[in-house]
Amino acid sequence: MSTFGSPPPPPDYPPVAPPPLSPPSWEVDGATASEPVEGHSRVFRAVAGSGIAILVAGGVAAAVLAFGFIRGSADSMVTFAPSDTAAYVNLDLAPSAGQQLALNNILGRFPALGGSSRDATINHWLDSGLQSSGLTHADVRTWLGSQLSLIVLKGADTAIPAKVSLLASTDDAAAQAMFAKYKSGPSGQPLHWTVATYDGVTINVGEDSAGGTQAWAVTAHTVIVGTSEAAVDEVIDTSQGKHASLTSQADYTAVQARVPSDRVAFLYVDIPALSALIPSTAVAGASTSLRGYQGVGEAVVASSSGISVSGTIDFDASKLSASARASLGIAPHSNGALAYVPGGAFGFVAFVGLPQMLHNLVTLAIPGLGTSGSQALDQLGITGPAGVISHLTGDAGIEVEQLPAAKVPSGALLIATDSSGAVQSFLDQLATRLCSAGQACGSATPTQQTYQGVTISAITISGADTSELSPAWAVDNGWVILASTPAEVRAVIDARRGSNIATSPQYRAVAGQVGTSNDGMFYVNVQRLVTAVRAVLPADARATFDQQVAPYLTPIQAIGTSVRSFGDHIATSEFVLIR
């Protein structure tokens, strides 16, 4: 029914496109140029966390802009959310004075969203989005209050979860008038409408020819819009105290205690309830993989330099698998892989627990491989008492960059080891076996070169441009470097000796918010990535990009996330750097 960033209008509204604006300047690590520059895992949680940061941050910004800084109070909508709520989202359009000032500062950095032009821009967006329904921004803004919430219910009577949007009302008569106008408009008129009364509250129910339903009611200065009449009834019962609310759930209160209370948005997910909504045939093993996890909470907080999303993932360790407990039991620390990430990298992912991950993969693969397959892994030196997995200490990372004058990006996998010699020997032997077994390699044996006292080995791929792809590896100071080209290995070695990611102002700003002592970290320099993408666009596409997309990306400098594991929860932190 609704999204994070806009109130839930009647269905079938088209997406809103921002107006075209002038092209921006391009800034990379402080340098501005008019032309493009040439040139069950913590990994999943970190990357997924960054996605949440982008979506929630953008949505909150749009919501606050759309309806102004109206005075309001703390979340009062949660008392409408039934205890069987699987997911709950709340947007506070009237946060604390500090949050309002920070948001105002951030939004002013985006085109047409600062000063006197803001209101006209938002009205234009709303009018465009509401056009197909026959409504305008005036039909909404005259009554919308300071709170918006979205509830996803388990849906006991149907396999499809019910969704209910809650909107605070400052003028119930105006809200009723908007819905009356909608019913007679191009979107509402084709529906078959009926009126019912439940617990003294009038409910309007519209049904389309395919059996789809939408229902709405107004009670206690709150507009309730649902995908079923039963869902609206349950919310009404909850608001009147006849049904327990979400606040009665112990995990909800535990999550609330772990996230900031001074915020502009909040998300809560009941994982057991959510997993119950997943059909057993849809995702094999989904319910099993979620077993032991309880609730997820995310709070969005604005600051003068960007948007933070602080969260928690609660779990019951006694219900987790042994491998999951081992993975979550690794103490947060600074990952050594970051020392090898070049300062000009697009970004990186750093994680811990690599041996456990590989052991789990091998365990899953062995039944399919059979006895002979298991023996083959031992013979290759991957598994077994002296296998290469036994020499991995846990920390690892992946970095991606584009070297000067290179046509394509390059990257490297970084792995910590306790035996440089054993891993070097394994990689050399593996490369020789692979190249001697077929015609894929340009030569039967790897080539070697010495750089900064480090031996770099590489193989050529038949038909491939060696400047773009020539798998290379080296072991430096206890770290295995597996890269796309020898040049990338040299860049990674150089990074450790001076110009690594810690020299990037954007990275330092993000790391200061999410922390460097963790169990997993994701980082991307948005402007470097945007510049690289822009450089390969055809001239006509580049002009469109500069006019319609780039102005909204230019203020977003970098994004970072980190996760830290504790005895009963995982703390997550995301930050979007906006300048």
Side-chain angles (χ1 to χ4, degrees), residues 356-369:
Q356 290 92 332
M357 296 179 196
L358 296 178
H359 275 300
N360 288 340
L361 290 175
V362 170
T363 301
L364 291 173
I366 283 179
L369 295 173

Side-chain angles (χ1 to χ4, degrees), residues 549-564:
V549 179
Y552 295 92
L553 293 177
T554 299
I556 304 174
Q557 296 295 300
I559 299 169
T561 75
S562 70
V563 295
R564 293 177 295 153

Side-chain angles (χ1 to χ4, degrees), residues 372-384:
S372 60
S374 179
Q375 292 174 345
L377 292 176
D378 288 349
Q379 292 171 357
L380 286 172
I382 297 174
T383 56

Side-chain angles (χ1 to χ4, degrees), residues 298-359:
E298 299 276 354
V300 181
V301 179
S303 69
S304 60
S305 58
I307 297 290
S308 296
V309 183
S310 299
T312 182
I313 304 173
D314 291 353
F315 58 83
D316 182 346
S318 67
K319 296 180 181 179
L320 300 178
S321 66
S323 60
R325 286 196 299 271
S327 178
L328 293 171
I330 300 173
H333 60 276
S334 181
N335 196 313
L338 272 60
Y340 285 90
V341 178
F346 292 148
F348 66 83
V349 176
F351 51 98
V352 301
L354 182 60
Q356 290 92 332
M357 296 179 196
L358 296 178
H359 275 300

Side-chain angles (χ1 to χ4, degrees), residues 21 75 121 130 145 150 175 180 191 220-221 226 294 309 312 335 404 437 440 472 524:
L21 293 159
D75 180 9
T121 298
L130 295 169
L150 171 67
L191 303 180
H221 302 300
Q294 298 169 324
V309 183
T312 182
N335 196 313
V524 60

Side-chain angles (χ1 to χ4, degrees), residues 64 68-74 91-96 100 146-147 263:
V64 174
F69 298 125
I70 311 166
R71 287 195 177 277
S73 58
L91 299 179
D92 187 354
L93 304 185
S96 68
Q100 292 189 42
S146 61
Q147 296 282 329
R263 61 204 185 205

Side-chain angles (χ1 to χ4, degrees), residues 269-289:
V269 176
D270 182 330
I271 295 181
L274 181 67
S275 64
L277 297 176
I278 303 175
S280 58
T281 56
V283 183
S287 296
T288 301
S289 64

